[in-house]
Amino acid sequence: VVNSIENASRATEIHTVNQTAWEYAMNIDLNTLTMVASVITLLQVMALFVQWRLDKTYRGPGWWLLGMAATGLGFAWAYLRAVPQWVLLAIVGNNLSFVFGRTFMYIGVLRFLGRRERRGALIAFLAVFSLVDIYFTYFNNDIVVRRAIFNLTIAVLSFLGGRAAFLYKTRAVTTSANLLSAAFVLHGLVFVVSLLFNVFTPPDAGPLIASVSQLVSILGGLIATTLTTFGFILLVNQRLNAESREAHDNLELIFNTSPDAVLITRLVDGYFERINAGFTALTGYTWADVQGKSVLDIRLWSNAADRQALVAILNDRGQCDNLEAVFHRKDGSQLTGLVSARRL
């Protein structure tokens, strides 16, 4: 019996501690939460800005940067809620900034993947949301309806972004596009959960105390937007890597299929680095014959002084055009050719 009483007492203590922790979590100051979110968003804006500045060849990253900046502006509006005469304006500015930011990100995904947004439909969508948000703020200040519409709008835009990334991805960016799609969907689910909390729990614990709905949307949204930022950067880098590999493969194809004899040798000592099929066809030397050797070892140049003349020209001008010289084939026969070379 004594043991049972002690266990019950411990259970009561644990329950009290858990309840206190929950009450503490529910009393998070909204300004403190907003400040943390603002700093994290600012870091994401800086990361996207650097990415955009490094490579402006793609369409889309500029919209991502604009969208994240609008999200940061949305957090900035929250600070004005502490000023009574600015409360309503802060609410409208906050909601519109987040919705426009998510719209810009959706447009960026479409354009990066070679698609175009339905501009008329998006403009109409944003106009209707703006009017409804203003109505339920200034004329019929219904916080439950206003937040429900806001959460639903953000969720829809996030799901649209996830759908676009998944459907329109190319083979070159499959992995990063799937990650980005998952981040958008996660962001949408966060706001669906926030919508449910908003409907089934009291919307406010005080003028500057974060409600459950706000906690879910801010904290969960930060996690999702951070993953989204990673997805954006990975999407650009994976595409750059794919295009770099494609360019390399094209150069390899040109190098190997050129009918002229093409060889890459070290300038200082003439050691072979690469030869193409045209070189083998013209001289009879295969890669196995020249690997680890120099042009002097196999007596490719009939007169070593001709190569020294080529090296002197390359050191002086960086390139040489149509230098006539005599060469040896693998079978010992000679041929007269014109050499063009460039330092690289």
Side-chain angles (χ1 to χ4, degrees), residues 36-283:
V36 173
S38 300
V39 172
I40 295 175
T41 305
L42 178 61
L43 294 175
Q44 295 180 53
V45 170
M46 293 171 61
L48 290 175
F49 177 76
V50 171
Q51 181 70 69
W52 174 70
R53 287 282 296 176
L54 288 176
D55 196 327
K56 296 183 179 180
T57 58
Y58 299 136
R59 303 175 63 187
W63 286 97
W64 301 337
L65 174 61
L66 187 61
M68 194 59 68
T71 301
L73 181 62
F75 286 119
W77 277 108
Y79 291 106
L80 292 177
R81 295 191 179 194
V83 184
Q85 60 268 32
W86 293 99
V87 171
L88 298 182
L89 179 62
I91 291 172
V92 173
N94 176 273
N95 292 347
L96 292 184
S97 295
F98 280 119
V99 169
F100 274 76
R102 189 52 44 171
T103 303
F104 294 153
M105 292 182 193
Y106 168 59
I107 293 174
V109 172
L110 287 174
R111 295 200 174 186
F112 185 84
L113 297 176
R115 301 283 175 159
R116 294 286 297 184
E117 72 281 0
R118 296 182 180 179
R119 187 174 301 177
L122 277 180
I123 292 175
F125 178 80
L126 293 174
V128 169
F129 172 80
S130 301
L131 293 175
V132 171
D133 190 67
I134 291 172
Y135 174 78
F136 283 106
T137 303
Y138 282 97
F139 302 102
N140 182 12
N141 193 359
D142 191 327
I143 189 172
V144 175
V145 174
R146 184 174 65 241
R147 285 187 180 171
I149 294 173
F150 170 76
N151 290 330
L152 181 61
T153 302
I154 293 292
V156 168
L157 289 170
S158 297
F159 290 143
L160 286 175
R163 174 182 177 273
F166 184 78
L167 287 182
Y168 305 136
K169 63 188 175 186
T170 61
R171 182 179 300 178
V173 294
T174 299
T175 302
S176 53
N178 286 338
L179 173 63
L180 183 62
S181 177
F184 268 101
V185 171
L186 175 62
H187 194 267
L189 292 176
V190 165
F191 278 85
V192 169
V193 173
S194 179
L195 171 63
L196 296 177
F197 271 112
N198 178 71
V199 172
F200 295 108
T201 61
D204 276 311
L208 294 177
I209 303 299
S211 66
V212 180
S213 175
Q214 287 174 311
L215 279 174
V216 172
S217 60
I218 293 177
L219 296 179
L222 278 176
I223 296 173
T225 54
T226 302
L227 290 175
T228 302
T229 301
F230 281 126
F232 287 150
I233 295 174
L234 288 175
L235 196 65
V236 173
N237 289 334
Q238 190 175 18
R239 183 168 174 179
L240 283 171
N241 289 336
E243 292 180 353
S244 177
R245 287 195 301 270
E246 183 180 358
H248 177 269
D249 292 341
N250 288 338
L251 288 176
E252 284 285 321
L253 185 63
I254 294 171
F255 180 84
N256 289 322
T257 59
S258 172
D260 292 328
V262 183
L263 61 156
I264 302 175
T265 61
R266 293 201 307 231
L267 186 63
V268 63
D269 51 22
Y271 271 78
F272 285 93
E273 297 289 343
R274 295 287 302 278
I275 63 172
N276 73 338
F279 178 82
T280 299
L282 186 65
T283 66

